[in-house]
Amino acid sequence: MQGFAGFMWLLSMALIVFSGFALIDAATRREDGYRAADKKTKPFWLIILGIAFVVNLLFPILSFLPIIGLVATIVYMVDVRPALRSLPGGGRSRRGGSNSDGPYGPYNGGR
């Protein structure tokens, strides 16, 4: 019985890490990337994945709510994340980019 409890604990921790990774990934994507990929909005996914993360922390893995959270996390990881990653720039927020960047790359002044 102790082996089963240990396995369930490991499974629960893996589920928490998985939903936490999805939440962090969704938070680092650009807002306009969600619209460009024709997915729901960034706040929608942050709320859904945040609820899934909290549910995984509070409830045991064999209850009904963590399974719903797992489904939401899987939908994000296999549908939304690849669509965001296929956008130019990977859908990531820009940090330290040049102010001269245009829609097709950096503007070099006609050189």
Side-chain angles (χ1 to χ4, degrees):
M1 193 65 168
Q2 185 178 2
F4 180 72
F7 174 74
M8 293 307 287
W9 182 83
L10 283 175
L11 193 59
S12 177
M13 288 298 115
L15 191 57
I16 290 169
V17 168
F18 183 57
S19 62
F21 173 78
L23 179 62
I24 291 169
D25 185 73
T28 60
R29 301 289 174 178
R30 291 174 39 187
E31 169 68 33
D32 59 343
Y34 289 87
R35 290 188 305 271
D38 199 26
K39 302 298 176 189
K40 296 284 187 185
T41 63
K42 182 176 183 175
F44 172 83
W45 282 108
L46 289 177
I47 290 169
I48 294 297
L49 294 172
I51 290 171
F53 181 73
V54 170
V55 163
N56 288 329
L57 284 174
L58 297 179
F59 292 96
I61 194 159
L62 292 178
S63 66
F64 189 69
L65 290 176
I67 304 224
I68 294 173
L70 175 63
V71 169
T73 305
I74 289 173
V75 167
Y76 175 80
M77 292 298 285
V78 301
D79 183 38
V80 179
R81 186 171 186 252
L84 293 173
R85 290 182 71 183
S86 69
L87 297 173
R92 292 275 182 194
S93 60
R94 300 178 104 177
R95 293 188 184 106
S98 170
N99 288 337
S100 65
D101 284 352
Y104 305 109
Y107 178 71
N108 62 7
R111 293 182 236 171

